[in-house]
Amino acid sequence: MQEFLQTLWHDLAATTLLEYFAVIFGILSVWYASRENIWVYPTGIINVALYVYLFITAKLYAQSLVQVYYLFISIYGWYNWVHHPSEEGSTAITRLDKKGWLIAIGLTIIGTIILYFALSKYTDSQVPFLDSFTTSIFFVTMWLMAIKKVENWIGWIVGDLILIPLSISQHLAFTSIQYLVFFGLAVSGWIEWNKKIKNAQTLA
């Protein structure tokens, strides 16, 4: 434990300014998302642009790929939230039906298999399965956020819990703190979005 803490402290002390900025914008983005605020997208775009580089240098290739995907899905989500408003001024929050769950789980499994094969065969990734699994979760989760499905927060919670220790193992100590904060915000987002659904149902 002492050796682990010493390594963690050393990695925190070696954190680059670029990683600090990436973490700050990442936390802002998730906080705005939990509040259903449109600023989730401009802050998120800055965050993902920085993490493309950071994850490549950490040899988390699938995670760097998902950042590029975030960029495009963020543009779509930004457009969707602005141009398809509900009576309250934004796209209404809804729940996944049975078909939606099957699609989300199926895409996660298929994505994990494909990415694991690619990372194992064509890269020097040290954690191909975890990198593939979390990347697939976030691919699906970002899409669910763009269409305002409350279950997107489940994906963030699961992925964040995995990436906390994974980031530490790849010497991205400050990023692991970011994912710890993300986890707390994801729980808050789950609670807040469920409240909004219940309030909407009460008013209906």
Side-chain angles (χ1 to χ4, degrees):
M1 176 59 73
Q2 183 178 357
E3 182 179 350
F4 168 77
L5 291 175
Q6 287 177 343
T7 301
L8 180 61
W9 177 253
H10 175 270
D11 289 342
L12 282 172
T15 298
T16 64
L17 187 61
L18 190 67
E19 189 176 349
Y20 277 116
F21 276 115
V23 168
I24 289 169
F25 280 101
I27 291 173
L28 283 173
S29 179
V30 178
W31 186 83
Y32 282 127
S34 70
R35 268 53 185 176
E36 198 188 354
N37 188 302
I38 195 66
W39 276 93
V40 55
Y41 289 113
T43 53
I45 287 171
I46 295 172
N47 170 260
V48 302
L50 295 174
Y51 266 110
V52 168
Y53 172 78
L54 288 171
F55 281 134
I56 288 175
T57 58
K59 296 184 179 180
L60 292 173
Y61 301 114
Q63 282 299 318
S64 66
L65 177 63
V66 82
Q67 301 303 313
V68 176
Y69 166 74
Y70 283 172
L71 177 62
F72 289 103
I73 201 68
S74 291
I75 294 170
Y76 166 74
W78 196 347
Y79 176 87
N80 191 46
W81 283 33
V82 170
H83 293 282
H84 296 87
S86 66
E87 292 181 358
E88 296 180 352
S90 61
T91 303
I93 298 171
T94 57
R95 298 186 189 280
L96 283 175
D97 55 17
K98 184 177 180 179
K99 180 181 178 181
W101 271 106
L102 289 174
I103 292 173
I105 293 171
L107 288 174
T108 301
I109 293 172
I110 292 170
T112 300
I113 293 171
I114 293 172
L115 287 172
Y116 177 76
F117 173 78
L119 291 178
S120 299
K121 188 173 180 63
Y122 299 110
T123 77
D124 58 348
S125 175
Q126 300 170 343
V127 283
F129 175 73
L130 289 179
D131 197 5
S132 300
F133 181 56
T134 52
T135 297
S136 297
I137 288 176
F138 289 153
F139 261 83
V140 175
T141 296
M142 194 68 182
W143 166 63
L144 294 179
M145 174 175 284
I147 60 175
K148 283 199 174 179
K149 296 296 182 181
V150 70
E151 290 81 5
N152 84 87
W153 294 110
I154 297 175
W156 293 124
I157 289 169
V158 173
D160 292 340
L161 282 174
I162 296 172
L163 281 173
I164 292 169
L166 183 59
S167 296
I168 293 174
S169 73
Q170 300 305 111
H171 305 290
L172 292 172
F174 198 59
T175 296
S176 71
I177 295 175
Q178 171 189 247
Y179 283 117
L180 179 61
V181 175
F182 281 179
F183 170 74
L185 290 173
V187 172
S188 174
W190 169 256
I191 294 170
E192 289 296 321
W193 282 35
N194 273 287
K195 285 181 179 178
K196 290 189 176 186
I197 289 179
K198 291 179 180 178
N199 291 338
Q201 291 172 342
T202 302
L203 294 173

